[in-house]
Amino acid sequence: MPNIGVPGLIIILIIALIVFGPSKLPQLGKAVGQTLREFKNSTKDIVDEVTEEFKLDDKEADTKKKV
């Protein structure tokens, strides 16, 4: 994924300002922020679950090796 950079961000903000208008832009930013936060939390939960499963599998494998 290529880097956007400052000029690209400025162009995106100008286009968003033209399309959505100045009154809707803060609401749009808030909605995007909430969506990204929910996505981040969901992916963290999934990673934690998978990590926990691997830990349980490792413990079971160690127990079987000892027996």
Side-chain angles (χ1 to χ4, degrees):
M1 186 168 160
N3 292 334
I4 295 175
V6 176
L9 287 175
I10 292 173
I11 291 172
I12 290 170
L13 288 173
I14 290 172
I15 291 172
L17 186 61
I18 291 170
V19 171
F20 296 108
S23 62
K24 294 281 184 178
L25 208 54
Q27 294 172 354
L28 180 66
K30 184 178 179 180
V32 168
Q34 288 175 345
T35 303
L36 289 174
R37 189 178 313 115
E38 289 176 12
F39 179 75
K40 181 180 172 184
N41 289 339
S42 296
T43 54
K44 183 182 180 299
D45 290 342
I46 291 171
V47 168
D48 289 344
E49 286 179 21
V50 170
T51 304
E52 187 65 30
E53 285 294 322
F54 279 123
K55 286 180 183 178
L56 290 174
D57 288 344
D58 288 343
K59 286 181 182 178
E60 288 177 5
D62 288 342
T63 304
K64 288 181 181 179
K65 286 180 182 178
K66 290 180 181 178
V67 173

